[in-house]
């Protein structure tokens, strides 16, 4: 039985999949403008993609900006994400700096969720999950492949591993080479939900071919989807207004 994850006033894993949109500005002024747009769009969750930020290597600047973002977005749940280059991000951090930055975000109280990549050292993932939980922050344990979609068994294995490591929201995002790959992803998500998951999961197929996976989460088992405001943070993201419409139509049909 999957138990929803309650973050502020949002229940992820209950009802219509929640919509998350990303802040990807390089400067504080750009981030403030983007935050205003996302509030206007009434998204459920906001993610700050710190790797886009021009001062991402300055921890004090990151924390000050994180505090500002929290003040701008009010009570909307906030995800803190530094995406590494190997998983599609804009910048890279050394292992120690990555751990320190995520710990600082979790400890600050401004971020409700931190995103930790599954393919870090297992001991580091466990350390960050335990630290975040000790400071009342939730954790997305994520994996992104911008080149391919592995076999169904491998997708399930990665999601189960993210769950075993304590991730509150196991997440996987994969690039399809064909519509058959999209079906593989959806099939894996449904099997994960029915046989192994005890918490909400996030799964999507990227690019234009994968768009169907971003709207069909409720049918197959993905509890959160990513939409685009002015600019997408990953290929295949659907504009927020369109996403809301289609998610509602599907929800009313199920």
């Amino acid at each position: 039985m999957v138990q929803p994850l309650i973050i502020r006033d949002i229940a992820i894993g209950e009802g219509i999949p929640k919509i998350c949109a990303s802040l990807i500005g390089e400067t504080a002024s750009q981030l403030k403008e983007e935050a205003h747009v996302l509030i206007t769009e009434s998204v459920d969750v906001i993610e700050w993609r710190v790797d886009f930020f021009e001062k991402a290597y300055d921890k004090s600047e990151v924390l000050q900006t994180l505090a500002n973002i929290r003040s701008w977005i009010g009570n909307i749940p906030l995800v803190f994400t530094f995406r590494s280059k190997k998983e599609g991000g804009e910048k890279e951090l050394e292992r120690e700096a990555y751990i320190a930055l995520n710990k600082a975000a979790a400890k600050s109280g401004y971020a409700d969720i931190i995103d930790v990549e599954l393919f870090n050292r297992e001991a580091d993932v466990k350390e960050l999950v335990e630290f975040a939980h000790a400071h009342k922050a939730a954790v997305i344990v994520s994996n992104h492949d911008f080149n391919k979609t592995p076999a169904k068994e491998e997708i399930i294995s990665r999601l189960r591993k993210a769950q075993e490591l304590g991730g509150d929201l196991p997440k996987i995002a994969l690039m399809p080479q064909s519509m058959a790959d999209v079906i593989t992803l959806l099939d894996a998500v449904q099997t994960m939900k029915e046989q192994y998951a005890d918490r909400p999961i996030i799964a999507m197929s990227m690019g234009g071919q994968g768009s169907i996976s971003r709207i069909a989460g409720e049918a197959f088992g993905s509890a959160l989807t990513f939409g685009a405001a002015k600019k997408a943070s990953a290929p295949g993201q659907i504009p927020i207004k369109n996403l809301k419409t289609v998610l509602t139509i599907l929800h009313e049909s199920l």
Side-chain angles (χ1 to χ4, degrees):
M1 181 70 179
V2 173
Q3 296 296 318
L5 176 66
I6 311 298
I7 304 291
R8 295 183 183 261
D9 296 329
I10 300 296
I12 301 171
E14 183 176 276
I16 298 177
K18 303 306 179 283
I19 297 175
C20 181
S22 300
L23 298 171
I24 56 174
E26 296 180 6
T27 66
S29 61
Q30 289 172 358
L31 289 166
K32 186 174 184 179
E33 181 182 345
E34 288 177 2
H36 177 73
V37 171
L38 297 187
I39 292 168
T40 303
E41 296 274 7
S42 299
V43 296
D44 300 301
V45 179
I46 291 176
E47 175 191 47
W48 181 25
R49 279 287 303 274
V50 187
D51 50 294
F52 279 91
F53 187 46
E54 65 179 7
K55 297 179 180 178
Y57 298 129
D58 186 331
K59 189 166 69 173
S60 64
E61 285 284 348
V62 169
L63 291 175
Q64 180 58 59
T65 304
L66 181 61
N68 291 339
I69 292 171
R70 167 51 64 206
S71 71
W72 299 332
I73 68 173
N75 202 45
I76 300 173
L78 178 60
V79 182
F80 180 91
T81 300
F82 187 100
R83 181 70 61 233
S84 70
K85 279 192 174 181
K86 68 180 181 295
E87 299 217 7
E90 297 294 306
K91 295 181 176 66
E92 200 65 64
L93 280 175
E94 294 295 329
R95 170 176 166 259
E96 294 81 3
Y98 178 86
I99 293 171
L101 187 64
N102 278 287
K103 282 186 173 181
K107 187 177 180 179
S108 72
Y110 300 125
D112 301 293
I113 306 172
I114 63 168
D115 181 301
V116 179
E117 291 172 357
L118 175 64
F119 285 165
N120 286 303
R121 295 185 189 184
E122 184 172 315
D124 294 346
V125 176
K126 287 182 177 178
E127 179 182 345
L128 284 169
V129 168
E130 290 172 4
F131 186 91
H133 288 167
H135 290 84
K136 297 180 170 50
V139 183
I140 293 171
V141 175
S142 65
N143 172 236
H144 305 73
D145 191 326
F146 281 75
N147 297 310
K148 63 186 183 302
T149 298
K152 174 184 176 180
E153 294 73 19
E154 175 63 18
I155 297 171
I156 294 170
S157 174
R158 293 180 190 181
L159 287 169
R160 291 184 70 187
K161 187 66 174 179
Q163 180 170 278
E164 290 164 9
L165 290 171
D168 302 284
L169 290 167
K171 176 191 176 187
I172 195 162
L174 304 167
M175 185 65 73
Q177 300 301 319
S178 65
M179 289 307 296
D181 282 346
V182 181
I183 294 169
T184 296
L185 180 278
L186 293 173
D187 187 23
V189 173
Q190 186 173 38
T191 300
M192 177 70 188
K193 180 185 179 183
E194 292 179 349
Q195 298 184 19
Y196 305 110
D198 61 7
R199 63 202 66 191
I201 58 177
I202 305 169
M204 65 209 71
S205 192
M206 295 186 282
Q209 288 181 317
S211 295
I212 185 68
S213 71
R214 296 184 181 275
I215 62 176
E218 189 173 1
F220 290 91
S222 181
L224 183 146
T225 189
F226 285 76
K230 289 186 175 180
K231 182 180 177 183
S233 61
Q237 287 180 357
I238 299 167
I240 293 165
K241 288 182 180 178
N242 296 348
L243 194 53
K244 283 184 178 181
T245 300
V246 179
L247 288 175
T248 302
I249 291 170
L250 183 59
H251 176 72
E252 292 173 350
S253 302
L254 291 174

